[in-house]
């Protein structure tokens, strides 16, 4: 069938033309007055469009558009919003440097607005907030991802409470994406080799305030059906589809930026999915500059950043060697390395033929900068990947942390934002990096804060009742049961919310462990509680699906369906209601399996108090004035014992602290102590867990240094990279002949504080020179348990001459700490181009 295609756009009157620009920029997703412009056009159409501004413009009748074009009130509101939008795009920002070179941020998913469903959960939410915050701060950053035809699945719960999935098709021509075209009006496309066949991808742009996100799409006529399906669904298909997606994201993403004339001077891999980009960047430099693989690798290593989100080894993406060989055997010729050396890039044990290829390992080996997403997760990651740096003390493993954050104006409800704007002033919107503005929480009266929160609880209850009714109607429930949905929940009852991905380690049923104790709390006539659950299980996760069903069955079995509800199809729209309308945000993962989590941050910024296991972000944010901790950060080998202990601790907290505080009211009906905690929580979490704090951390720790590295490297035509590659090759050849012969010191059995300790190391360097090496005195307190040095200090030793074949290195330090102390000496690489000296295999201890 020969079909001619074209795009039809709404015919907007001239006075309404700004609506088109606003609708196609996700700036509106964190500016509710902009959203209201589309709601005011036609509320019923807004709901039918699934809250999509672009689709709304296409569905509203021409008569209604003509009417709005003559409405002075509507036009005034449009002018106010549009003027603010233009001021935002043109205004001064935190970053004011050059944008000739950019940081390219790669992520498998982005959750920015309900109108762009290309996300599944926390990783996507973080990526979306990352892009929005980059826009606020004016950073030289672009996003790269894939445009999924179906996105993630829509959750449907049948009458028995069992999760089913549907995959609605996305209509990109009625969504906030624009296909990129060249000066001749031809779509910009790139190609990538997949096992000897070429897949073609077109590029779409999503405007995010001042920033841009570029998404690759293979669903085009030039591709065969199997290649068109590469971008069919997020996390869909088998392992072969996954490796195709990740090749397209990493390798194709770099090529897409080049095709658009964008120079990715530095790259940030948000999880290991995009790690193949390192290979493409190496290939580019080799082809353009005539460098060897080692030289090109050292050219991109100082400009790569990698963020890991996975706290368990099994959660890291791994591919069988057969699959890697199918897609990358030809790359050995391109890169000029052996097949074993290629496989070693993705292996913890480089030449273990039984080990699969790990994307996290590839990312760690290709990036100079690596981080976990909370303080605890950074420590967990260092322990998990310590095998990549044998001999290096755990605390020095080069994986730091940047704790996640959330975008306040996206996640603080519009009612609460209006209140904060009145008391915080324009500063809150104009200078979002000035986190001290949250200190103004004390200016807000208790009455106003509480009434605002009560309105959000009322809206949550109304929203929940509507969702329950829709589910019952779809499942053919009798009219009497549907009518009961109108009585579900109460807008005046203490409301606990548990909303997140339903994986078993998150323990969504922990509070159901003692039914009698829970039922007493639910049915208390004076101080009742109610529970709202929401979340999706992965389509292949049967235990997660059974967990959802067990919660629904519990409510039916004990006839508490008005007090325990499970809302189907958890998405961004629902998250806004839950994180702003609940009173307590519940989180019960098995420590330390929660890398960070961000939903609790969103709740906290709305004044919702957290009650959580000390895991992820809560481990560092918790104090008794901002919420409650379940346990004290214990970790268990016996999971049944853990569930028993921690469920009892949760019941105790609810009975003794949470419920009494909520219902303790003065004559004015206000829970003053609760409101006091709300204010402290909003102030402290607003400052410490803002995504603007997160992006300032990323910028100062990684982005700016990586961009400086890039400018330095290209300034001398990669001479520095060539020098570093030659140095590391020299080190590799000579390392085995390097020997620490002996140590000498003036240490006595008992030293006095303030005494000088002089240590001399006799080291045979072989073919190396003293300038090639970093020789350090490693000294500090001795652990009574492990007999190792703890909290060590590292002091560089200087070359002082020779003694026969040995070079002498010496240092003098002062005895500062008392107690049992010790010292040793170690040798590391030393080169001006090294971001850090911790290169695999290059550490030698006395």
């Amino acid at each position: 069938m020969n079909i001619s295609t074209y795009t039809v756009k709404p015919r907007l009157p001239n006075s309404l033309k700004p609506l088109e620009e606003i609708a196609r920029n996700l700036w509106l997703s964190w500016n509710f007055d902009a959203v209201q412009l589309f709601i005011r056009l036609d509320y019923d159409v807004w709901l039918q469009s699934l809250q999509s501004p672009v689709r709304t413009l296409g569905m509203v009748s021409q008569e209604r558009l003509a009417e709005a074009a003559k409405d002075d009130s509507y036009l005034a509101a449009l002018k106010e919003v549009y003027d603010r939008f233009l001021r935002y795009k043109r205004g001064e920002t935190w970053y004011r440097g050059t944008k000739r070179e950019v940081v390219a941020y790669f992520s498998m998913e982005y959750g920015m607005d309900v109108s762009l469903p290309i996300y599944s959960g926390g990783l996507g939410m973080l990526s979306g907030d990352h892009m929005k915050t980059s826009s606020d701060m004016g950073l030289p950053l672009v996003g790269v991802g894939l445009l999924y035809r179906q996105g993630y699945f829509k959750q449907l719960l049948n009458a028995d409470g069992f999760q089913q999935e549907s995959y609605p098709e996305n209509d990109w021509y009625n969504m906030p994406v624009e296909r990129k075209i060249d000066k001749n009006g031809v779509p910009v496309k790139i190609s990538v080799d997949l096992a000897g066949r070429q897949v073609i991808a077109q590029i779409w742009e999503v405007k995010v305030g001042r920033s841009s996100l570029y998404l690759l799409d293979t669903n085009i006529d030039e591709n065969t059906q199997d290649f068109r399906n590469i971008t069919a669904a997020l996390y869909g298909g088998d392992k072969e589809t996954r490796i195709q997606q990740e090749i397209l994201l990493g390798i194709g993403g770099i090529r897409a930026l080049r095709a658009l004339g964008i120079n990715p001077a530095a790259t940030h891999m948000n999880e290991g999915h995009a790690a193949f980009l390192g290979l493409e960047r190496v290939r580019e430099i080799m082809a353009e500059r005539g460098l060897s693989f080692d030289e090109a690798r050292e050219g991109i290593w100082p400009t790569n950043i990698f963020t890991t989100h996975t706290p368990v080894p099994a959660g890291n993406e791994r591919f069988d060697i057969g699959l890697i060989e199918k897609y990358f055997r030809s790359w050995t010729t391109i890169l000029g390395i052996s097949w074993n050396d290629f496989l070693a890039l993705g292996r913890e044990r480089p030449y273990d033929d039984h080990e699969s290829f790990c994307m996290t390992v590839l990312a760690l080996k290709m990036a100079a900068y690596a981080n976990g997403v909370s303080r605890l997760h950074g420590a967990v990651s260092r322990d998990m990947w310590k095998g990549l740096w044998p001999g290096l003390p755990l605390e020095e493993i080069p994986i730091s942390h940047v704790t996640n954050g959330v975008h306040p104006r996206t996640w603080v409800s519009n009612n609460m934002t209006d209140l904060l704007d009145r008391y915080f002033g324009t500063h809150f919107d104009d200078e979002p990096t000035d986190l001290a503005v949250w200190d103004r929480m004390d200016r807000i009266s208790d009455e106003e804060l509480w009434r605002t929160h009560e309105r959000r609880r009322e809206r949550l209850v109304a929203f929940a009742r509507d969702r329950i009714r829709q589910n019952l109607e779809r499942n053919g429930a009798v009219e009497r049961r549907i009518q009961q949905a109108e009585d579900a929940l109460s807008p005046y009852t203490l409301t606990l919310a548990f909303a997140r991905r339903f994986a078993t380690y998150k323990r969504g049923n922990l509070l159901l462990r003692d039914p009698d104790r829970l039922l007493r709390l639910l049915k208390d006539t004076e101080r009742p509680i109610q529970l709202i659950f929401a979340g999706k299980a992965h389509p292949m996760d049967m235990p997660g699906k059974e967990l959802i069903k067990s919660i629904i069955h519990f409510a039916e079995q004990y006839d508490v369906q008005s007090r325990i509800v499970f809302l189907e199809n958890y998405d961004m729209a629902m998250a806004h209601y839950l994180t702003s309308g609940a009173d307590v945000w519940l989180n019960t993962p098995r420590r330390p399996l929660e890398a960070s989590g961000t939903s609790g941050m969103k709740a906290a910024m709305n004044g919702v108090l957290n009650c959580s296991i000390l895991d992820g972000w809560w481990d560092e944010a918790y104090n008794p004035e901002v919420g409650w901790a379940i346990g004290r950060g214990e970790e268990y080998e016996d999971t049944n014992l853990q569930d028993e202990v921690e469920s009892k601790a949760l019941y105790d907290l609810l009975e003794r602290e949470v419920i009494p505080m909520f219902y303790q009211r003065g004559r004015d009906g206000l829970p003053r102590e609760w409101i006091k905690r709300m204010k402290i929580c909003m102030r402290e979490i607003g400052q410490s867990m803002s995504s603007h704090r997160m992006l300032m951390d990323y910028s100062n720790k990684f982005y700016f240094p990586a961009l400086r590295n890039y400018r330095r490297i290209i300034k001398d035509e990669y001479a520095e990279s060539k020098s570093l590659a030659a140095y590391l090759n020299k080190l590799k050849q000579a390392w085995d002949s390097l020997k620490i012969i002996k140590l000498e010191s003036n240490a006595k059995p008992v030293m006095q504080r303030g005494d000088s300790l002089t240590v001399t190391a006799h080291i045979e360097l072989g073919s190396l020179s003293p300038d090639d090496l970093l020789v350090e005195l490693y000294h500090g307190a001795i652990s009574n348990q492990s007999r190792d040095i703890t909290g060590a200090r590292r002091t560089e030793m200087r070359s002082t001459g020779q003694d026969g074949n040995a070079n002498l290195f010496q240092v003098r330090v002062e005895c500062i700490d008392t107690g049992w102390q010790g010292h040793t000496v170690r040798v590391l690489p030393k080169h001006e181009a090294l971001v850090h000296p911790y290169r695999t295999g290059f550490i030698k201890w006395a």
Side-chain angles (χ1 to χ4, degrees), residues 10-24 28 32-49 51-79 81:
R11 188 190 303 275
L12 294 178
N14 287 335
S15 58
L16 300 184
K17 286 290 176 64
L19 283 173
E20 178 79 13
E21 185 179 353
I22 294 170
R24 292 189 174 277
L28 65 74
F32 188 69
D33 53 351
V35 174
Q36 285 181 309
L37 293 173
F38 299 91
I39 295 175
R40 284 180 63 179
L41 281 177
D42 191 318
Y43 183 64
D44 290 335
V45 166
W46 172 253
L47 294 180
Q48 293 169 24
S49 76
Q51 302 179 36
S52 168
V54 176
R55 187 178 289 116
T56 295
L57 290 181
M59 292 173 64
V60 170
S61 68
Q62 288 298 139
E63 291 78 13
R64 175 63 189 121
L65 291 174
E67 184 181 311
K70 298 176 182 177
D71 184 337
D72 291 344
S73 172
Y74 186 86
L75 292 177
L78 173 56
K79 182 179 187 306
V81 169

Side-chain angles (χ1 to χ4, degrees), residues 33-208:
D33 53 351
V35 174
Q36 285 181 309
L37 293 173
F38 299 91
I39 295 175
R40 284 180 63 179
L41 281 177
D42 191 318
Y43 183 64
D44 290 335
V45 166
W46 172 253
L47 294 180
Q48 293 169 24
S49 76
L50 303 179
Q51 302 179 36
S52 168
V54 176
R55 187 178 289 116
T56 295
L57 290 181
M59 292 173 64
V60 170
S61 68
Q62 288 298 139
E63 291 78 13
R64 175 63 189 121
L65 291 174
E67 184 181 311
K70 298 176 182 177
D71 184 337
D72 291 344
S73 172
Y74 186 86
L75 292 177
L78 173 56
K79 182 179 187 306
E80 183 179 347
V81 169
Y82 189 57
D83 287 348
R84 190 156 62 83
F85 173 58
L86 295 178
R87 285 197 303 273
Y88 174 86
K89 292 207 297 182
R90 298 166 183 165
E92 287 191 349
T93 59
W94 179 77
Y95 175 78
R96 300 177 186 178
T98 179
K99 294 189 178 181
R100 288 192 301 273
E101 301 98 12
V102 303
V103 176
Y105 178 81
F106 286 70
S107 185
M108 201 74 166
E109 54 175 296
Y110 290 86
M112 290 181 289
D113 188 64
V114 68
S115 67
L116 189 62
I118 55 170
Y119 61 90
S120 71
L123 184 70
M125 296 297 102
L126 177 73
S127 301
D129 282 2
H130 202 104
M131 292 301 303
K132 294 175 184 180
T133 309
S134 172
S135 168
D136 287 344
M137 295 168 62
L139 292 175
L141 182 144
V142 298
V144 180
L146 303 181
L147 190 65
Y148 303 100
R149 193 172 76 241
Q150 296 176 332
Y152 204 49
F153 69 88
K154 179 180 179 181
Q155 180 190 52
L156 301 170
L157 299 178
N158 67 17
D160 192 41
F162 188 77
Q163 174 184 293
Q164 298 170 316
E165 299 87 28
S166 71
Y167 294 86
E169 296 279 329
N170 288 320
D171 176 10
W172 302 125
Y173 296 93
N174 280 305
M175 290 185 174
V177 295
E178 290 280 357
R179 189 164 51 176
K180 296 299 291 181
I181 57 175
D182 63 20
K183 60 184 179 182
N184 298 316
V186 178
V188 179
K189 297 176 182 177
I190 58 97
S191 65
V192 178
D193 179 88
L194 291 180
R197 299 164 58 200
Q198 293 294 310
V199 61
I200 312 297
Q202 61 183 352
I203 307 165
W204 299 75
E205 179 182 14
V206 180
K207 294 186 183 299
V208 189

Side-chain angles (χ1 to χ4, degrees), residues 53 65 117 166 215 383 457 491 654 790:
L65 291 174
S166 71
L215 303 171
D383 186 57
R457 193 189 314 114
L654 293 174
T790 61

Side-chain angles (χ1 to χ4, degrees), residues 287-314:
E288 294 169 6
R289 306 283 180 169
L291 273 60
S292 68
F293 173 79
D294 289 339
E295 291 168 342
R297 181 182 176 185
E298 299 308 331
I300 62 110
W301 180 74
T303 66
N304 278 345
I305 302 120
F306 169 59
T307 297
T308 175
H309 293 261
T310 310
V312 291

Side-chain angles (χ1 to χ4, degrees), residues 538-557:
H538 187 278
M540 304 303 291
D541 182 6
M542 293 305 295
K545 291 184 177 183
E546 289 296 327
L547 195 57
I548 293 172
K549 190 169 77 170
S550 72
I551 293 170
I552 295 170
H553 282 202
F554 182 97
E556 293 173 349
Q557 178 183 350

